[in-house]
Amino acid sequence: MKHYTKHMLISPLDRTLPIFVETIGWNEWQEEFIRPVGYHCYHWLHTTHGEGQFEYSGKTINLTPNRGILLKPGTPHRYRTISHPWSTYYVTFNGDLAPLIISSLGLATSTLISWEMDSPLSTLHKTSHELADQEFDLNGMEGSVFIYRFLMDLKKYGEIDNQRSISQYAARLTPIFQYLNENYSNPAIGLAQLAELAGVSSQRLNYIFRKATGMSPYQYIIRIRIQKAKELLIDKDRLTVKQIAAMVGFTDDSHFVSTFRKIETVTPETYRNIN
């Protein structure tokens, strides 16, 4: 039986880039690997078919399809096949800003990450093959963009330790987003009302909101109101600041002005004049 391995080696490496791809590859028949001192770059591995066992830091996990792991450089590990053939996709990368990007995205290293079958991550190996066939410049800027987008997708669609992904949280909040976009001018909107609309507790809604948007429901409403106010300041120059404040849901125009200045760094009047 022919065992197919597709390696897309990146040579020479452009180490001047803030983040760069070292290698990308797909193994139709994954062999056992033992690395007592780990790998010298960040190492991503996930299963496209079959099942393998991955050992690292005293832990053992099974990698079935749509499950992967991201390891820091120098993390000792070992992996072997459980069911044949075990097919895997891998990416190795590094760069001066790689640790910062991974940290800023809140990505977990040495932790099982999974995703839904309809996620872009499920077809990543096919996408990589297509790019290679198109003579995609993986050793330059295009490769740097590729790995950054991959990490962004991992953040968006990945479920860490079986927790919901950001995209799943966002999908659950879609009715809330729609409601707020249509009712932002109502000053009586509160967390309890939104929680009831979502069918969860106030505490749970606050948690989901922060996971999906990085802010609380209240902060999200304020952002919408300020954005709508900016549109009115430009499009409706005959309206006063007080009128606009009331139209976007502020009951106190002084609170509106201070909030606007905090977010936009200028007052509403100044914003109107410079735009």
Side-chain angles (χ1 to χ4, degrees):
M1 178 181 292
K2 182 180 179 181
H3 298 165
Y4 178 72
T5 301
K6 177 72 173 180
H7 296 286
M8 288 161 269
L9 301 177
I10 314 305
S11 180
L13 296 177
D14 186 350
R15 300 181 185 276
T16 64
L17 293 169
I19 187 167
F20 58 83
V21 180
E22 186 210 32
T23 58
I24 296 176
W26 178 70
N27 289 315
E28 183 184 32
W29 198 284
Q30 178 64 63
E31 299 177 347
E32 180 178 19
F33 265 95
I34 302 176
R35 295 191 176 102
V37 295
Y39 197 72
H40 62 279
C41 290
Y42 282 93
H43 180 207
W44 168 261
L45 180 77
H46 79 244
T47 295
T48 60
H49 180 80
E51 183 175 1
Q53 189 174 79
F54 199 96
E55 300 175 10
Y56 66 102
S57 304
K59 302 176 182 178
T60 300
I61 60 173
N62 288 357
L63 290 182
T64 52
N66 302 320
R67 303 177 95 187
I69 189 167
L70 176 63
L71 295 180
K72 290 181 179 180
T75 303
H77 61 274
R78 170 184 180 181
Y79 46 95
R80 62 184 182 85
T81 301
I82 293 180
S83 64
H84 295 280
W86 179 34
S87 303
T88 63
Y89 172 84
Y90 64 87
V91 182
T92 62
F93 61 94
N94 218 330
D96 291 341
L97 292 187
L100 180 61
I101 292 172
I102 290 171
S103 175
S104 64
L105 290 175
L107 288 173
T109 54
S110 301
T111 302
L112 179 67
I113 300 177
S114 57
W115 52 90
E116 298 293 328
M117 290 184 62
D118 59 354
S119 161
L121 294 170
S122 296
T123 56
L124 183 61
H125 60 294
K126 296 180 181 179
T127 302
S128 298
H129 291 170
E130 292 170 359
L131 293 176
D133 292 340
Q134 297 169 12
E135 298 183 354
F136 192 71
D137 182 24
L138 286 168
N139 68 320
M141 288 294 295
E142 291 177 335
S144 183
V145 171
F146 170 84
I147 195 64
Y148 184 76
R149 286 178 177 169
F150 159 66
L151 293 173
M152 291 291 288
D153 281 346
L154 201 59
K155 170 66 175 178
K156 183 176 181 179
Y157 299 104
E159 303 173 26
I160 300 173
D161 289 338
N162 296 318
Q163 295 182 11
R164 289 179 179 269
S165 67
I166 287 178
S167 64
Q168 289 174 310
Y169 281 124
R172 188 171 184 181
L173 289 174
T174 297
I176 303 297
F177 294 148
Q178 183 176 351
Y179 177 83
L180 292 177
N181 282 319
E182 294 173 354
N183 297 276
Y184 63 88
S185 61
N186 180 2
I189 293 177
L191 182 60
Q193 178 187 359
L194 296 176
E196 184 177 355
L197 183 63
V200 297
S201 67
S202 297
Q203 183 178 8
R204 180 63 178 171
L205 179 62
N206 194 55
Y207 172 81
I208 294 174
F209 234 94
R210 288 187 179 278
K211 278 286 186 179
T213 68
M215 63 185 77
S216 69
Y218 175 75
Q219 291 171 321
Y220 185 83
I221 295 171
I222 292 299
R223 292 283 178 176
I224 292 177
R225 288 172 174 166
I226 295 301
Q227 181 57 43
K228 298 297 182 181
K230 287 164 62 178
E231 295 171 9
L232 290 172
L233 285 165
I234 302 302
D235 298 337
K236 306 292 183 180
D237 55 359
R238 292 185 179 181
L239 293 175
T240 66
V241 169
K242 185 174 183 178
Q243 288 174 318
I244 290 175
M247 291 174 67
V248 298
F250 284 88
T251 56
D252 184 344
D253 56 302
S254 62
H255 179 220
F256 166 67
V257 172
S258 63
T259 302
F260 192 101
R261 182 164 46 195
K262 182 177 180 180
I263 293 175
E264 298 297 327
T265 71
V266 295
T267 66
E269 284 289 3
T270 301
Y271 180 85
R272 169 178 271 169
N273 292 333
I274 62 178
N275 286 278

